[in-house]
Amino acid sequence: AQTVTQSQPEMSVQEAETVTLSCTYDTSENNYYLFWYKQPPSRQMILVIRQEAYKQQNATENRFSVNFQKAAKSFSLKISDSQLGDTAMYFCAFMRGLAGNQFYFGTGTSLTVIP
Amino acid sequence: GAVVSQHPSWVICKSGTSVKIECRSLDFQATTMFWYRQFPKQSLMLMATSNEGSKATYEQGVEKDKFLINHASLTLSTLTVTSAHPEDSSFYICSARDWDTQYFGPGTRLTVL
């Protein structure tokens, strides 16, 4: 079975600073996808960034980037120039690449951006 | 981008009644949709996987007869909570798979009195 672990239940960061959220996972699969989703107070789940396991290059989306370490099964999210709107719950998720459609979610990290 | 709608956004009902929640993929076809339940300050708990034209696959511990799922078209899946009780009060979220990514609806807050 796949497991996803987020070891930081809560984090805070000063506005304009950089913060890194951690995520580790356990799988025997070789083909899979990893995601970070953001859930603000509105509770709408928003896709932040995705990474294909077969790609060595780390994904980047504007201020959001990941550090994907396949051998270590680590997938951290870096948020640069933090903004107040980044305050949210962040969930790391794993999906098998072939027949499996299911997402496996971590327990989430609550991020607060302090003005 | 891929958009998923969910209706209603909130509903209050009396104990013993049934409630239907709709999930639609607006700009793509989704052969697979998912239904989740989320408790406050917790992660999403997968309830069932809805496949167009076939029976849903339920997760262990989820009552099939209580949470009826119908995926009649490539853009619509419905979740019906039958004979709802106060313990069914929760936040229900659907998602639709577009190739290799899931896109989520805005959620439905169900309160059973």
Side-chain angles (χ1 to χ4, degrees):
Chain A
Q2 278 65 226
T3 59
V4 179
T5 302
Q6 292 179 250
S7 59
Q8 305 152 314
E10 296 182 356
M11 293 191 72
S12 61
V13 61
Q14 290 291 139
E15 193 175 5
E17 296 296 309
T18 296
V19 64
T20 299
L21 309 183
S22 301
C23 173
T24 58
Y25 58 95
D26 186 23
T27 184
S28 58
E29 304 279 338
N30 192 50
N31 182 24
Y32 53 88
Y33 298 84
L34 295 164
F35 304 84
W36 279 98
Y37 282 87
K38 165 185 175 181
Q39 189 179 39
S42 68
R43 302 190 79 173
Q44 167 76 63
M45 292 284 284
I46 301 167
L47 176 65
V48 175
I49 201 164
R50 62 188 288 275
Q51 174 84 42
E52 296 93 335
Y54 63 86
K55 289 186 177 180
Q56 292 186 342
Q57 187 173 7
N58 290 323
T60 299
E61 286 289 343
N62 300 314
R63 298 183 294 109
F64 300 88
S65 62
V66 298
N67 183 5
F68 174 47
Q69 301 291 328
K70 190 172 183 178
K73 297 180 182 176
S74 171
F75 183 62
S76 61
L77 174 70
K78 186 172 80 171
I79 306 174
S80 304
D81 185 26
S82 296
Q83 300 176 0
L84 296 179
D86 295 334
T87 293
M89 280 288 288
Y90 286 81
F91 293 100
C92 178
F94 169 99
M95 183 182 77
R96 290 184 294 167
L98 296 176
N101 291 324
Q102 185 182 33
F103 266 31
Y104 297 87
F105 284 96
T107 51
T109 296
S110 177
L111 176 68
T112 301
V113 179
I114 302 168
Chain B
V3 179
V4 177
S5 70
Q6 202 171 327
H7 178 80
S9 56
W10 59 272
V11 57
I12 302 173
C13 69
K14 292 182 178 180
S15 184
T17 61
S18 295
V19 174
K20 180 185 284 188
I21 303 170
E22 293 186 348
C23 178
R24 293 180 185 274
S25 57
L26 297 184
D27 50 1
F28 66 100
Q29 293 182 332
T31 56
T32 304
M33 292 184 174
F34 303 87
W35 288 95
Y36 297 87
R37 185 171 180 175
Q38 187 180 33
F39 294 101
K41 298 189 182 301
Q42 293 189 21
S43 189
L44 280 69
M45 182 186 75
L46 180 65
M47 298 175 65
T49 301
S50 170
N51 296 296
E52 188 269 335
S54 64
K55 292 183 178 180
T57 303
Y58 291 82
E59 295 300 301
Q60 191 173 9
V62 177
E63 299 177 57
K64 301 178 183 181
D65 295 333
K66 182 166 190 61
F67 298 99
L68 300 179
I69 291 172
N70 183 23
H71 193 158
S73 77
L74 288 172
T75 59
L76 173 64
S77 176
T78 60
L79 167 68
T80 301
V81 183
T82 62
S83 186
H85 291 284
E87 57 265 31
D88 299 324
S89 298
S90 191
F91 191 69
Y92 293 88
I93 306 175
C94 73
S95 72
R97 181 173 177 172
D98 182 17
W99 188 237
D100 55 11
T101 299
Q102 284 191 32
Y103 296 94
F104 289 82
T108 296
R109 182 177 301 281
L110 171 63
T111 301
V112 185
L113 303 177

